[in-house]
Structure formats: C-alpha cells, structure tokens
C-alpha cells in the first residue's frame, strides 16, 4: 500500500525545470532513495514532499491526505521528520536541548518530552552525551543529533537529504547500516536523497534514478544494477563497458542478437522486451567489468572470446583492475588479485553473452 504518492509533480525556478511531471509511490515502511547527479531534481522533490517548496503543478498525498490539491498543508502539519545535509544543529544548545526543541514549541508535557528524548538518545547511540555542545562532538555524532531530533516527534515520514555527504568514507559506511537498521526497526516510511550510488545500493528497499528532472527508472537495487533501463542508468550505477555497435542479426524466438562493433564483426548479446532492436539499428553492447572472464589461453567452443593486451593495471587489494586493448577498443576488466599478469601481456577476454546487454 502506498503511504506517499507523488502525482504529476512539476517544479521550476524561473525558466529552469527542476522537476518535470514525475510520478512515484513509497510503500508504508519502505525506504525509497532518490538517486542522481547534482541538479537532477532529487532534493527539490524531497523539499516539495516536506512542504519547503511549492510546486507549480501536481499533488503529494501522505497517508491518504492530499498536501496540495485541497489546500497547502504547512510543513509542521505533515507529520514529517527531516535530516539535512549540513546537520542544522544549534551550536549554542546542548545535545538534549537540540533534540527536544521542537517538542517544547508544541508544548508537549515535560515528562513526555523527557521520556521521548531518552528513547531516541539510546536509539541513535548518544546516551550519556546529552550535556555536550555540538562543537564537542564528532561529525558522526552531530549527524546522530540531527537524526534524533527528526525522530523524537514520532513522525509518519522521515526525509533525509544527503545526510552522510559531509562525513569521511569510513564513517559514511558505518552510518549507512545504522540508519538502515534504525529505520527498519521503527517501521518509518522514508525518502532518502543521495548522489552516491554505493550508498543507495546499501540503504534502499527501492531506488528511483533521476536525470534532468525526470524519474528514468524505479526498482530494487538488484533490478537497477542487473537490468538498467538505459545507458544513463547503467553508467550511473556501478561501472559499465559501452561498446558502440550496429545490430546485424536478431535471433528469432530468443532474447539474443548479434552486434557488429569496432573490434569485432559479430558479438552475441542479450536483449529484452524493454529494448527491442532491429537489424541496422545503432546500439551499445554493454558489460560490467566483473562479468568479463580472463584467460591466459583461449578456451574452446566459446563465442565472444577476444584477444587483447593489458594497457594498464591497478592493484586494489581484493582484485585487480585491467584496461585491456582489444583491436584499439579499451575494455575494463575486474580480475582475481593474484592473477600473474602485467602491463603489456596478452590475455583472452570472454564477454559472456548472458551478461552482455543491449542499451540505447
């Protein structure tokens, strides 16, 4: 059941379209992530849900109640908790006062405030730090203060706008799992904004990939990674080899086609109903580096086997990263960390037809 519905949402700033008539739903208790590059409209969409921006067209429905079409509902009346990118904690207030400030404005009874504050302090791992000022906390602890402040009012919806972008890589990785675990335990419907695809993959139940104000694909992390809707999605999520080519043959009653590329007369690839193709059409044969198999000697009886030369090698600890030149086309390959191959060596690449997809 949809708890948040975004319907035909349109928002522009002067002549610049920020959000272009988008539709999506967030199920009750789900964590949906809006993912995309800077300027794609994800934060504007989030601010429209929060009531911090008024769209020109469309509606937002939260728990069955329209926020726009039956009169603009003020942010304070939407049952929303929000965590901002820059923490937005008051430096002159101690942790406890930062967290309960909103409850005091609502004139909640003191005992209830105290009980709620203690619960969220324990929940976010700040128990014992309530008498410290934000300047006495680490970046991760300050972000926990912001999270506690958003949760203390028992919101229906939690909105998070790139909450980890100001933290170092190690702390970001830790807090991803903490936020995911916390939100699931509380069962809060959440919308999370980030430009970090790894963060989105870890934290999300579903991902909505945005580009130029449009939602170009919505799906689970697995669906987005394994079955990208187009070249933009495939390039933004993970790493992909794109090899420009032309369809030369469509195999009847199968999901397979042959493509002519710059380095091969024919290459077998997988297609789908999402990307119907016809002979002569220009497409991209695409495969992820981890799906390319490497051999020192050519195995027998395999299509899509190509001989190449290692142009560049990078050691990344748990694997090697090769840039392999195949008749002048550079293909990125992820190989076992102990593979005894150096720059200048010749190797054979098997581009598995089951993993080689067609994108436009």
């Amino acid at each position: 059941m949809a708890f948040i519905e975004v319907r035909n949402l349109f928002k522009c700033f002067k002549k610049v379209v920020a959000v272009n008539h988008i539709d999506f739903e967030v199920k009750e208790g789900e964590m949906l992530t809006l993912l995309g590059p800077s300027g794609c409209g994800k934060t504007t969409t989030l601010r429209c849900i929060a009531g911090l921006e008024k769209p020109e067209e469309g509606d937002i429905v939260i728990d069955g109640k329209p926020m726009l079409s039956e009169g603009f509902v003020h942010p304070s009346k939407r049952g929303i908790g929000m965590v901002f990118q820059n923490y937005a904690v008051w430096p002159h207030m101690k942790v406890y006062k930062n967290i309960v400030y909103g409850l005091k404005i609502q004139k909640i009874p003191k005992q209830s405030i105290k009980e709620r504050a203690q619960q969220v302090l324990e929940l976010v791992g700040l128990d014992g730090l309530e008498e410290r000022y934000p300047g006495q906390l680490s970046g991760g602890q300050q972000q926990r203060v912001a999270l506690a402040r958003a949760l203390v009012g028992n919101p229906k919806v939690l909105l998070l706008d790139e909450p980890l972008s100001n933290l170092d890589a190690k702390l970001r990785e830790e807090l991803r799992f903490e936020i995911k675990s916390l939100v699931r335990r509380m069962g809060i419907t959440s919308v999370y904004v980030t430009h970090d695809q790894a963060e989105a993959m870890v934290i999300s139940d579903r991902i909505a990939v945005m580009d130029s104000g449009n939602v170009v694909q919505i799906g689970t992390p697995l669906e987005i990674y394994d079955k990208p809707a187009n070249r933009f999605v495939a390039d933004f999520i993970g790493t992909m080899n794109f090899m420009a080519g032309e369809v030369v043959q469509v195999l009847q009653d199968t999901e397979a086609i042959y493509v002519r590329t710059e380095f091969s007369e024919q290459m077998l690839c997988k297609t789908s109903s999402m990307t119907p193709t016809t002979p002569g059409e220009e497409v991209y044969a695409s495969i992820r580096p981890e799906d390319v198999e490497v051999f020192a000697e050519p195995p027998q009886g395999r299509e899509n086997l190509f001989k190449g030369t290692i142009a560049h090698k990078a050691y990344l600890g748990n694997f090697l990263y090769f840039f392999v030149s195949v008749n002048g086309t550079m293909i990125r390959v992820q190989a076992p960390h102990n593979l005894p191959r150096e720059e200048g060596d010749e190797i054979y690449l098997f581009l598995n037809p089951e993993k080689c997809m067609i994108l436009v």
Side-chain angles (χ1 to χ4, degrees):
M1 178 181 175
F3 196 81
I4 302 172
E5 298 174 61
V6 174
R7 302 174 178 171
N8 194 35
L9 193 68
F10 179 80
K11 175 65 183 175
C12 63
F13 297 97
K14 295 184 178 179
K15 293 184 179 180
V16 178
V17 175
V19 181
N20 188 23
H21 299 287
I22 64 172
D23 298 271
F24 64 84
E25 296 180 347
V26 189
K27 301 171 187 174
E28 187 170 2
E30 180 182 40
M31 170 78 85
L32 177 81
T33 295
L34 303 178
L35 174 68
S38 297
C40 72
K42 55 190 185 294
T43 292
T44 301
T45 301
L46 194 79
R47 289 175 64 85
C48 287
I49 296 172
L52 301 177
E53 298 286 354
K54 289 185 179 180
E56 279 71 36
E57 296 179 37
D59 201 3
I60 294 162
V61 179
I62 299 176
D63 194 17
K65 182 178 179 181
M67 299 291 110
L68 300 166
S69 60
E70 297 178 5
F72 181 78
V73 177
H74 191 270
S76 64
K77 304 296 183 183
R78 296 191 179 196
I80 281 172
M82 189 159 183
V83 181
F84 295 91
Q85 180 178 353
N86 60 355
Y87 316 149
V89 295
W90 289 284
H92 65 288
M93 289 185 183
K94 293 180 180 179
V95 168
Y96 182 85
K97 288 189 175 180
N98 259 289
I99 291 171
V100 303
Y101 183 76
L103 298 182
K104 286 185 175 180
I105 291 177
Q106 297 173 44
K107 297 183 179 179
I108 304 291
K110 285 185 178 180
Q111 186 57 34
S112 180
I113 290 176
K114 188 175 180 181
E115 289 173 0
R116 288 198 205 177
Q118 190 57 42
Q119 287 174 355
V120 296
L121 282 164
E122 292 174 3
L123 204 59
V124 302
L126 290 174
D127 193 23
L129 300 179
E130 48 267 68
E131 291 303 310
R132 292 192 185 182
Y133 287 99
Q136 297 172 310
L137 303 176
S138 68
Q141 289 170 330
Q142 289 185 54
Q143 192 58 281
R144 286 185 174 93
V145 173
L147 185 58
R149 187 178 56 195
L151 294 173
V152 76
N154 295 324
K156 295 178 181 179
V157 173
L158 181 63
L159 305 179
L160 304 104
D161 185 11
E162 306 218 30
L164 307 181
S165 61
N166 290 331
L167 305 177
D168 63 70
K170 189 76 173 177
L171 189 55
R172 274 204 313 270
E173 190 174 333
E174 291 175 6
L175 285 182
R176 287 172 193 165
F177 290 100
E178 287 188 23
I179 290 174
K180 181 178 183 178
S181 175
L182 179 65
V183 168
R184 283 190 172 175
R185 288 203 310 272
M186 297 186 72
I188 300 177
T189 305
S190 308
V191 182
Y192 192 101
V193 161
T194 184
H195 63 274
D196 185 327
Q197 55 95 7
E199 196 170 292
M201 296 287 280
V202 167
I203 211 165
S204 313
D205 294 310
R206 288 189 304 146
I207 298 171
V209 183
M210 295 189 68
D211 180 34
S212 302
N214 298 291
V215 174
V216 292
Q217 186 174 2
I218 298 180
T220 65
L222 181 62
E223 290 168 345
I224 295 288
Y225 192 82
D226 278 357
K227 298 178 181 179
N230 55 29
R231 189 183 175 195
F232 172 82
V233 176
D235 195 29
F236 197 79
I237 303 288
T239 305
M240 184 73 81
N241 290 296
F242 296 105
M243 296 154 282
E246 178 185 330
V247 177
V248 293
Q249 184 183 357
V250 178
L251 302 183
Q252 296 299 317
D253 301 321
T254 70
E255 290 187 340
I257 66 171
Y258 282 105
V259 177
R260 181 186 298 113
T261 69
E262 293 177 349
F263 62 88
S264 171
E265 280 302 307
Q266 66 174 32
M267 180 175 168
L268 186 60
C269 296
K270 187 177 180 181
T271 186
S272 70
S273 57
M274 291 176 62
T275 53
T277 52
T278 55
E281 184 178 352
E282 293 184 353
V283 295
Y284 287 93
S286 312
I287 191 167
R288 298 200 181 275
E290 64 268 26
D291 291 328
V292 180
E293 296 181 41
V294 178
F295 296 93
E297 299 295 332
Q300 298 300 312
R302 296 201 184 190
E303 292 200 66
N304 292 5
L305 189 68
F306 304 104
K307 185 178 180 180
T309 303
I310 299 173
H312 305 288
K313 172 186 173 180
Y315 176 73
L316 297 177
N318 57 337
F319 64 89
L320 294 173
Y321 209 74
F322 292 145
F323 285 79
V324 180
S325 176
V326 179
N327 295 333
T329 296
M330 205 66 73
I331 298 176
R332 292 168 288 186
V333 180
Q334 185 174 311
H337 68 92
N338 57 352
L339 189 70
R341 288 291 175 270
E342 302 297 333
E343 292 180 0
D345 289 351
E346 291 186 341
I347 56 173
Y348 291 87
L349 305 182
F350 172 55
L351 278 58
N352 188 339
E354 288 297 312
K355 298 288 186 178
C356 189
M357 63 188 84
I358 293 299
L359 296 170
V360 294

